[in-house]
Each structure stands twice: as C-alpha cells, then as structure tokens.
Amino acid sequence: MNRTEDGDALPGSRPPVPPPRPAGSSWGPLRRGVFRTLWLAQFVSNIGGWMQTVGAQWLITERSGSAGLVALVPTAASLPILLLGIPAGALADILDRRRLLLLAQGLMFAAAGLLALLTATGRVNAYGVLLLTFVLGCGTALMNPAWQAIQPELVPREEIPAAATLGGVNMNLARAVGPALGGLVVALAGTAAVFAINAASFLVTAAALVRWRPRTETDALGSERMLPALRAGHRYVCGSPRIRRILARALLFVPAGAALWALLPVVAERRLGLGAGGYGLLLGAVGVGAVLGAVLLPRARGRWSSNTSLAGSGAIFAVGLALLAVVRVPWIAGLALVATGVAWVGVLSMLNAQMQVTAPVWVRARALAVYLTVFQGGMAIGSALWGVVADWTGTAGALLVAAAVLAVGTAVGWRFAVPDTPLDRTPSLHWPAPVVLLDPAGSDGPVLVTVEYHVPADRAEEFITAMGPVGRSRRRTGAVDWGLYQDGAHPDVYLEAFLVASWDEHLRQHGGRLTGFDRDAEQRARALLDPEHPFQVSHFFPARGQPLPRRADGG
C-alpha cells in the first residue's frame, strides 16, 4: 500500500513501487567515471584541508604561543558553515551548481594561495591566519550543499546509499591521513608548503569539475530570488515529516558522537601514553573502520531496516566510547575505534542518503544545507560541551556520560523511525495551466486558491483523512496557510483553501515543484469525490482600488 511520509499506510491506496534493491557493493559508484573522478578529487581536497588545519595551528603556535588562538582554528573554519550554510543551499538551488562549485574552489584557492605567499615571506601573524582560515571556511560553506546535491546526478537512485557511504569513507580516510601528512610536510618543508599543497588541491577539484558536463534544464519562470527561495526551503523542511525525522535522528546522534573527535587527542596522550604518531594511528583505526563499514553496509541494508541499522550503529558507537573511557591498552582502544568508525560511517551515510532521495531536485540543496548545518552545529556544540564536562569529571567521566547520552538517544531515536518506503520525487506537471482573466504580475499576492469538492456522505471521513497529505503537499510546495472547510448549508460540499505568497510562487507549484508523491496524494483524495460534480479551482487576488465592503449594520 502507499504510505505517508511517516511510513503509515493510507486507506484505499494502491501498492507502491517496490523499493530499489541495494547495490551489490559499496564500491559500485566508483565504476562510474564521473563519480570516481570527483570522488578522488574530493579526497585530495579533504586531505589538503586537514593538512591546512595542522599547518595553521602550528604556525599560530610559533607566532603567538597562545593556546586560545590555536583553539580558534577549528572555530574559524566551521563558523562560516553555521552562518552561511543555509543561504549557500538556496544559492545552490537557484544558480548552476557546477559554476557555484567552481566559484567556491576559486575562492579557497585564492585564500590558501595568499596564506602560503604571506607565510613564505613572513608577513602574516596569528590573526591573519585566522582571517584567511575563515575565508576558507566560507568557501567550504558555499561548496557543501551544492556538492551533496549533485550526488544523485552522478549515480542511479539504487546506488545513492553506496555513494553516501563512499562519501563517509572519503571524509574519514582524509581525517586519518591528512594530519599525519601535514605534520610531516611541516617538519620537512615548513608551513608555507602545507598551505601551497592545500591550494593546489583545490585546483585538482576544479579540474575535475571542468571535465564534468551535467545535464542542464532551463526554468521557464527564471531563477528564484534569494529571500523567497529561503522561505520556500524553510516551508519544505517544516512540511516534510520524513526530513524532520532525519534531522531528529541526526540531533540524537551527532552531539553525543562529537565526544570522540573532541577527546581522542586527550585519550591518546593522557590515558594511552601515546605521542603524535600514536594519535595518528588511532585516527587511522577510525579510517579502517570506515572502509570496513563500506564493505558491511550493503549487507546490513539488505538484511535490516534503516531504523534497525541506525539503532545498531548508535549502540556500537556508545559501546566504543565506553571502552575508550575504561581501557588503557592501545591495541584494545584501536579495536574500539575500528568499531566506532564502522558505526560513524553507517549512521552518517544512511542519514545522508535518505536526505538525498527524500528532497526533490528543486529544493534538494536547501534541504541538505539544513541537514549539514544541524550536523556541523551538533559537532561544534557537542565538542565544546564535552570539553567542559571533561574539565569537571575527567576524560573518562566525559566519555562515559557521552556513551550514556548516546545510548538514551538511540533508544529515543527508535520512535523516530526513518521509513524505507521509497517516495516518488520525480517532477510531475499534472496541474493544468491556471485559467485567469486578470493579468497578474509575478509579485502580485498573496493569492488565495480554492478547490471545491462534492463528497458523498459515506465517504466524508475517508476524504478528510486523505486530504491530510494533500495539505502537507500544498505547504511544502508554496502555501503559507491551508485549510479544509465544510459548507454548512450543503454538507456534501467541501472547500479547500490555501494561501500562496505571490503569483510567481503559485506558478512554480504548477511548473515543477510538485512530484509523483504529491500527484498520488491528490488522486487518492479525488477518487472519493462524487463523479457527477467535478472539482472546481478558483484563484483570488487582492482587490485593487476598491473600497472595503461595509456591513449591513453600518459597521
């Protein structure tokens, strides 16, 4: 049966399209030339980014000796993502994504190249390093939503989970390799060389993007404006139960999971007695876990539901944190980190893949920007929080508290199941062109759209239930208000009324915002109508130059 976005079966619905079969291997997308080229380019760039962090922290240590300024390097890199991530998502939906990605690479190349030049000539201080790190973060914020949004264009739908898994492998391997390479280059050639290598890594990604020729489609209505686009993205996320569940699962996992990354250096030094090299090996163990996760995840997806897999991954990560809190043997800690690497890539790849297939193409980057902002915010707030807890309770105490919080979050998350039922997000142009005698401008509004239905009395309750998903569809695609009303004098007559901010917004509903899922919801409701009375659609605009009507009592 068809289901709502929450996964609940709808009465009278027809069987859904069978869900796509899991790909045979998580490495399948790498057989596709464009995906492989961009994945490798991003891997090089991610390694360069981690090398950049090591170089920046070392240079500030040399120039100022301030631990506080050193600690601001990750903040300077991540703050732009929190500030600019959602507007960047809107830009990625409005502009050509390939050109936006090239612009971001150019910005980051300029910032990293300038930092390399200033460092080589001895003309940069700690504040200059932080400023240029912030600019690099702005480039990352500009790039991330567009980069995530193009992934479904690179692989078939059934390979999107595998592609998301490979994205997690990419990130964790770079996290394991990058700092070690950065430290080595700093020791051999100095920090300027690290910054120059990072600048060159952006050229690698830019070259891969230049070679990619995506299919482009022209919007007959033209590009959306920035503020309406932001509002439309907000409406869509708020009106999509499945996206809200994905964001809830991310919030229940990421802040607690951030304890691993925040406290692992302290664990390596103070609890395991390891130096910088040992810390690098621990990061390598997480990377090994990420690769192992890529091997195991296709089997997990074929055997268990996403909800079960997410709960299992959360439980494994919680156990891993608890083990790090109590063991002092490096090889046991390494095994625990391999398990946490499997769990980390498992959770993030499943949530990321769900976001990519749930959001339709017209709003995909905006929805992903919200997800990335939640993720980055959870990491930033969680890292700071666990640092404070560690100061109060010690590192072991903080890890145990984080493990307990994650275990509780995993149990609570079971109630926020992310359904595996596929949603048809292909664009659907099933609405006919609106019939109006007026000649409204695109900015005219608000526009009141009404639809009159005649429903037999014995179908009324089922009709009202079926109109619930229709109402959510209207809100997701542009309505700022929606309601369903019954005629007091003619109880078989129902009036659906929804308000759209402008005529342009309503035309976009007609022109590509609706999907196959929206069409099916409408068809289920309209199958319950009296066949002798077709539904009637009307469009109302604000009256111009007319005095307000006076009530009969003179009021």
Side-chain angles (χ1 to χ4, degrees), residues 181-199:
L181 282 179
L184 180 63
V185 173
V186 167
L188 295 178
T191 51
V194 169
F195 301 146
I197 291 173
N198 188 39

PDB file of all heavy atoms in Angstrom, residues 181-199:
ATOM      1  N   LEU A 181      50.184  13.633   7.271  1.00  0.00           N
ATOM      2  CA  LEU A 181      50.911  14.228   6.159  1.00  0.00           C
ATOM      3  C   LEU A 181      51.238  15.687   6.437  1.00  0.00           C
ATOM      4  O   LEU A 181      52.329  16.176   6.113  1.00  0.00           O
ATOM      5  CB  LEU A 181      50.094  14.119   4.866  1.00  0.00           C
ATOM      6  CG  LEU A 181      50.087  12.757   4.169  1.00  0.00           C
ATOM      7  CD1 LEU A 181      49.207  12.821   2.936  1.00  0.00           C
ATOM      8  CD2 LEU A 181      51.502  12.346   3.786  1.00  0.00           C
ATOM      9  N   GLY A 182      50.290  16.388   7.047  1.00  0.00           N
ATOM     10  CA  GLY A 182      50.526  17.790   7.373  1.00  0.00           C
ATOM     11  C   GLY A 182      51.699  17.954   8.316  1.00  0.00           C
ATOM     12  O   GLY A 182      52.557  18.820   8.111  1.00  0.00           O
ATOM     13  N   GLY A 183      51.741  17.127   9.370  1.00  0.00           N
ATOM     14  CA  GLY A 183      52.862  17.202  10.303  1.00  0.00           C
ATOM     15  C   GLY A 183      54.185  16.879   9.634  1.00  0.00           C
ATOM     16  O   GLY A 183      55.207  17.521   9.905  1.00  0.00           O
ATOM     17  N   LEU A 184      54.159  15.889   8.733  1.00  0.00           N
ATOM     18  CA  LEU A 184      55.391  15.522   8.034  1.00  0.00           C
ATOM     19  C   LEU A 184      55.889  16.660   7.147  1.00  0.00           C
ATOM     20  O   LEU A 184      57.093  16.987   7.147  1.00  0.00           O
ATOM     21  CB  LEU A 184      55.138  14.266   7.196  1.00  0.00           C
ATOM     22  CG  LEU A 184      56.327  13.724   6.389  1.00  0.00           C
ATOM     23  CD1 LEU A 184      57.454  13.297   7.330  1.00  0.00           C
ATOM     24  CD2 LEU A 184      55.896  12.560   5.497  1.00  0.00           C
ATOM     25  N   VAL A 185      54.970  17.299   6.398  1.00  0.00           N
ATOM     26  CA  VAL A 185      55.369  18.384   5.500  1.00  0.00           C
ATOM     27  C   VAL A 185      55.852  19.584   6.301  1.00  0.00           C
ATOM     28  O   VAL A 185      56.828  20.253   5.906  1.00  0.00           O
ATOM     29  CB  VAL A 185      54.206  18.764   4.560  1.00  0.00           C
ATOM     30  CG1 VAL A 185      54.550  20.002   3.734  1.00  0.00           C
ATOM     31  CG2 VAL A 185      53.862  17.605   3.638  1.00  0.00           C
ATOM     32  N   VAL A 186      55.195  19.890   7.414  1.00  0.00           N
ATOM     33  CA  VAL A 186      55.652  20.991   8.264  1.00  0.00           C
ATOM     34  C   VAL A 186      57.085  20.735   8.722  1.00  0.00           C
ATOM     35  O   VAL A 186      57.938  21.630   8.714  1.00  0.00           O
ATOM     36  CB  VAL A 186      54.706  21.169   9.472  1.00  0.00           C
ATOM     37  CG1 VAL A 186      55.350  22.084  10.511  1.00  0.00           C
ATOM     38  CG2 VAL A 186      53.378  21.748   9.028  1.00  0.00           C
ATOM     39  N   ALA A 187      57.367  19.485   9.127  1.00  0.00           N
ATOM     40  CA  ALA A 187      58.710  19.159   9.613  1.00  0.00           C
ATOM     41  C   ALA A 187      59.756  19.236   8.505  1.00  0.00           C
ATOM     42  O   ALA A 187      60.888  19.679   8.740  1.00  0.00           O
ATOM     43  CB  ALA A 187      58.700  17.754  10.225  1.00  0.00           C
ATOM     44  N   LEU A 188      59.389  18.848   7.298  1.00  0.00           N
ATOM     45  CA  LEU A 188      60.365  18.777   6.212  1.00  0.00           C
ATOM     46  C   LEU A 188      60.494  20.079   5.432  1.00  0.00           C
ATOM     47  O   LEU A 188      61.597  20.434   4.987  1.00  0.00           O
ATOM     48  CB  LEU A 188      59.992  17.649   5.238  1.00  0.00           C
ATOM     49  CG  LEU A 188      60.042  16.221   5.800  1.00  0.00           C
ATOM     50  CD1 LEU A 188      59.593  15.221   4.748  1.00  0.00           C
ATOM     51  CD2 LEU A 188      61.449  15.888   6.298  1.00  0.00           C
ATOM     52  N   ALA A 189      59.362  20.790   5.225  1.00  0.00           N
ATOM     53  CA  ALA A 189      59.393  21.939   4.311  1.00  0.00           C
ATOM     54  C   ALA A 189      58.782  23.206   4.880  1.00  0.00           C
ATOM     55  O   ALA A 189      58.849  24.250   4.222  1.00  0.00           O
ATOM     56  CB  ALA A 189      58.680  21.566   2.992  1.00  0.00           C
ATOM     57  N   GLY A 190      58.157  23.138   6.065  1.00  0.00           N
ATOM     58  CA  GLY A 190      57.594  24.340   6.659  1.00  0.00           C
ATOM     59  C   GLY A 190      56.107  24.497   6.361  1.00  0.00           C
ATOM     60  O   GLY A 190      55.527  23.828   5.496  1.00  0.00           O
ATOM     61  N   THR A 191      55.494  25.429   7.086  1.00  0.00           N
ATOM     62  CA  THR A 191      54.040  25.603   6.981  1.00  0.00           C
ATOM     63  C   THR A 191      53.620  26.202   5.641  1.00  0.00           C
ATOM     64  O   THR A 191      52.529  25.904   5.146  1.00  0.00           O
ATOM     65  CB  THR A 191      53.541  26.505   8.122  1.00  0.00           C
ATOM     66  OG1 THR A 191      54.328  27.708   8.153  1.00  0.00           O
ATOM     67  CG2 THR A 191      53.649  25.812   9.462  1.00  0.00           C
ATOM     68  N   ALA A 192      54.459  27.025   5.036  1.00  0.00           N
ATOM     69  CA  ALA A 192      54.091  27.607   3.740  1.00  0.00           C
ATOM     70  C   ALA A 192      53.857  26.513   2.708  1.00  0.00           C
ATOM     71  O   ALA A 192      52.954  26.610   1.861  1.00  0.00           O
ATOM     72  CB  ALA A 192      55.172  28.579   3.261  1.00  0.00           C
ATOM     73  N   ALA A 193      54.648  25.448   2.769  1.00  0.00           N
ATOM     74  CA  ALA A 193      54.479  24.335   1.825  1.00  0.00           C
ATOM     75  C   ALA A 193      53.140  23.633   2.039  1.00  0.00           C
ATOM     76  O   ALA A 193      52.479  23.220   1.073  1.00  0.00           O
ATOM     77  CB  ALA A 193      55.631  23.345   1.980  1.00  0.00           C
ATOM     78  N   VAL A 194      52.726  23.507   3.293  1.00  0.00           N
ATOM     79  CA  VAL A 194      51.424  22.894   3.579  1.00  0.00           C
ATOM     80  C   VAL A 194      50.303  23.711   2.948  1.00  0.00           C
ATOM     81  O   VAL A 194      49.399  23.171   2.299  1.00  0.00           O
ATOM     82  CB  VAL A 194      51.210  22.772   5.101  1.00  0.00           C
ATOM     83  CG1 VAL A 194      49.768  22.400   5.418  1.00  0.00           C
ATOM     84  CG2 VAL A 194      52.152  21.735   5.680  1.00  0.00           C
ATOM     85  N   PHE A 195      50.373  25.038   3.119  1.00  0.00           N
ATOM     86  CA  PHE A 195      49.322  25.892   2.565  1.00  0.00           C
ATOM     87  C   PHE A 195      49.334  25.847   1.032  1.00  0.00           C
ATOM     88  O   PHE A 195      48.284  25.882   0.392  1.00  0.00           O
ATOM     89  CB  PHE A 195      49.507  27.331   3.053  1.00  0.00           C
ATOM     90  CG  PHE A 195      49.461  27.467   4.557  1.00  0.00           C
ATOM     91  CD1 PHE A 195      50.255  28.412   5.202  1.00  0.00           C
ATOM     92  CD2 PHE A 195      48.639  26.661   5.312  1.00  0.00           C
ATOM     93  CE1 PHE A 195      50.228  28.547   6.583  1.00  0.00           C
ATOM     94  CE2 PHE A 195      48.605  26.784   6.701  1.00  0.00           C
ATOM     95  CZ  PHE A 195      49.398  27.721   7.334  1.00  0.00           C
ATOM     96  N   ALA A 196      50.517  25.755   0.441  1.00  0.00           N
ATOM     97  CA  ALA A 196      50.610  25.676  -1.018  1.00  0.00           C
ATOM     98  C   ALA A 196      50.024  24.365  -1.534  1.00  0.00           C
ATOM     99  O   ALA A 196      49.338  24.335  -2.574  1.00  0.00           O
ATOM    100  CB  ALA A 196      52.075  25.805  -1.454  1.00  0.00           C
ATOM    101  N   ILE A 197      50.265  23.278  -0.813  1.00  0.00           N
ATOM    102  CA  ILE A 197      49.685  21.989  -1.218  1.00  0.00           C
ATOM    103  C   ILE A 197      48.167  22.040  -1.124  1.00  0.00           C
ATOM    104  O   ILE A 197      47.456  21.531  -2.002  1.00  0.00           O
ATOM    105  CB  ILE A 197      50.264  20.852  -0.340  1.00  0.00           C
ATOM    106  CG1 ILE A 197      51.753  20.645  -0.669  1.00  0.00           C
ATOM    107  CG2 ILE A 197      49.483  19.564  -0.538  1.00  0.00           C
ATOM    108  CD1 ILE A 197      52.443  19.671   0.271  1.00  0.00           C
ATOM    109  N   ASN A 198      47.661  22.662  -0.077  1.00  0.00           N
ATOM    110  CA  ASN A 198      46.205  22.793   0.049  1.00  0.00           C
ATOM    111  C   ASN A 198      45.635  23.614  -1.101  1.00  0.00           C
ATOM    112  O   ASN A 198      44.582  23.262  -1.668  1.00  0.00           O
ATOM    113  CB  ASN A 198      45.860  23.444   1.394  1.00  0.00           C
ATOM    114  CG  ASN A 198      44.369  23.443   1.669  1.00  0.00           C
ATOM    115  OD1 ASN A 198      43.673  22.472   1.358  1.00  0.00           O
ATOM    116  ND2 ASN A 198      43.868  24.523   2.232  1.00  0.00           N
ATOM    117  N   ALA A 199      46.312  24.694  -1.476  1.00  0.00           N
ATOM    118  CA  ALA A 199      45.854  25.494  -2.609  1.00  0.00           C
ATOM    119  C   ALA A 199      45.825  24.655  -3.881  1.00  0.00           C
ATOM    120  O   ALA A 199      44.870  24.705  -4.671  1.00  0.00           O
ATOM    121  CB  ALA A 199      46.759  26.715  -2.793  1.00  0.00           C
TER     122      ALA A 199
END
